[in-house]
Amino acid sequence: MDSHLLKTLVTVARLGSFSAAALELGYTQSAVSQQIAALEGELGAPLLHRRPVGPTAAGERMIEHARLLLERMDAARADVRRLSRPERPELLLAVSPSGMDAAVARALARVREAEPRVRVRVRVLARRAVAVEVAAGRCAVGVTDGYAAPGGPLALGDLGPVRQAGVGEEPCAVLLPAGHPLRRRASVDLTRLADAGWLDASGIAAPLADLRALTGGAFPAAAGYEGQDAAALLALCAAGHGLAVLPRTLAASASAGTTALPVRAPRLVHRREALFTPALDGPARTFLDALPRGV
């Protein structure tokens, strides 16, 4: 199967539109339609409903395979290019905005101590995008974050050859604005706040969908924040635009008058994980060995 056809299928399904996929991929809409028809003809099955646009049952299965195939092809290209370039050693780290901390920075410093010629580059990406970059071989190693039960791995989906290793956990807290009626409590059960107004900020805070799944509560979104800047999110919470479940140290760093109320139940921690493939070069291995491990 032609990788271009697979990429077109995945893009149309993700955007839910032939015209939007054509714009993103740089094709005409008719070319996108022809590519999908060619792939359906090769497989002998319809892959997409046309009105509205969405995957059929066969399309869902094919899209799962296509994503993995495209990631492995990207990884193969990156691997071969890396071997064919006798250049200065490099460590390219993919990290989520809340995945970077002092321990990660120290591990990068250890790489430079071990190999002074190494060039260190850090690429900040969304949480899931970190896993995709490592799986595709575009970054040697990654550090991402999320929310999980204590000691439990992050739910990142099928990562192919990518392995996950915990590098740190921290208790969670709800950030309350000044004057909130629960501000004097020692801790809180999230079910007590299920009907409060929440900030939908899944790039940094615990996703509201996860809180609903954990508690069965409504957790209505009073406002949304689609960025990755923690300072902006803290400012919105402090100004009363909604509550957010955050790592306790981040919540505690908000402006004066706010309250970081520890979460007592359900059991939930902010977790960071290193992501890597079995084939590691020297700088990536040195980085991983320098990270705290064991959670």
Side-chain angles (χ1 to χ4, degrees):
M1 284 174 285
D2 189 323
S3 63
H4 294 91
L5 302 187
L6 298 180
K7 185 175 182 180
T8 298
L9 172 65
V10 170
T11 305
V12 172
R14 173 168 56 84
L15 297 176
S17 166
F18 280 71
S19 58
L23 184 63
E24 179 171 309
L25 295 171
Y27 299 139
T28 63
Q29 184 172 336
S30 61
V32 169
S33 298
Q34 290 168 10
Q35 290 182 33
I36 296 299
L39 187 57
E40 290 175 328
E42 181 178 350
L43 295 173
L47 301 176
L48 293 172
H49 299 295
R50 268 38 178 197
R51 289 192 177 88
V53 175
T56 63
E60 290 277 9
R61 183 62 57 85
M62 190 61 228
I63 289 165
E64 292 177 10
H65 288 298
R67 285 176 176 146
L68 292 174
L69 288 168
L70 290 170
E71 287 178 0
R72 294 309 302 147
M73 291 175 72
D74 284 344
R77 292 189 191 97
D79 203 25
V80 171
R81 287 169 182 162
R82 186 166 52 248
L83 290 174
S84 65
R85 290 197 302 260
E87 58 183 22
R88 179 180 176 185
E90 178 180 84
L91 174 63
L92 180 54
L93 170 70
V95 61
S96 61
S98 299
M100 174 62 77
D101 70 350
V104 174
R106 286 193 297 269
L108 290 173
R110 180 69 188 91
V111 173
R112 298 182 66 202
E113 291 170 3
E115 175 52 79
R117 292 183 61 251
V118 73
R119 178 172 57 183
V120 172
R121 290 196 293 146
V122 178
R123 181 176 295 166
V124 180
L125 302 165
R127 289 168 176 156
R128 172 63 188 176
V130 172
V132 171
E133 289 297 288
V134 176
R138 289 186 288 269
C139 290
V141 67
V143 177
T144 193
D145 75 294
Y147 297 83
L154 297 179
L156 298 175
D158 188 347
L159 300 180
V162 175
R163 298 178 181 177
Q164 299 173 239
V167 296
E169 288 184 355
E170 181 183 0
C172 292
V174 180
L175 182 58
L176 307 176
H180 194 280
L182 295 180
R183 66 188 183 280
R184 300 190 187 282
R185 290 183 176 269
S187 61
V188 68
D189 184 327
L190 288 179
T191 57
R192 294 286 306 275
L193 294 170
D195 295 324
W198 288 82
L199 258 173
D200 186 4
S202 58
I204 302 173
L208 298 187
D210 291 355
L211 300 183
R212 295 179 187 120
L214 281 169
T215 66
F219 290 90
Y225 176 61
E226 299 178 7
Q228 305 284 339
D229 185 349
L233 175 58
L234 295 180
L236 289 169
C237 290
H241 292 283
L243 309 183
V245 173
L246 298 165
R248 191 164 63 187
T249 54
L250 177 59
S253 69
S255 60
T258 59
T259 300
L261 191 59
V263 173
R264 179 177 69 254
R267 300 180 69 213
L268 187 68
V269 296
H270 176 254
R271 178 178 173 86
R272 293 181 303 110
E273 289 185 349
L275 305 178
F276 56 95
T277 58
L280 291 174
D281 59 15
R285 173 56 61 188
T286 300
F287 173 77
L288 283 175
D289 290 344
L291 285 174
R293 304 284 284 274
V295 294

